[in-house]
Amino acid sequence: MDEPDRTESYCPAPAAPEGRVPGPPYADCLECGKPTEYGVATPGVVLCPVCEWQDAQRTACSG
């Protein structure tokens, strides 16, 4: 029996912000205000690991 074609996921996994800048000083999470793993000069939305995980859960495909 032939294997089905492997297609990319309909819902891509969230990625770390582009242009990630190492810290310290570390940027504050935009959701809860706790320190993140990203430097203050990192562009875009930065979230702490807990908020990143929760955001991924909210935006994941259910099916």
Side-chain angles (χ1 to χ4, degrees), residues 34-57:
K34 293 183 180 177
T36 66
E37 300 174 337
Y38 309 105
V40 294
T42 303
V45 175
V46 291
L47 302 173
C48 70
V50 173
C51 290
E52 280 184 354
W53 182 81
Q54 290 173 343
D55 187 53
Q57 291 293 319

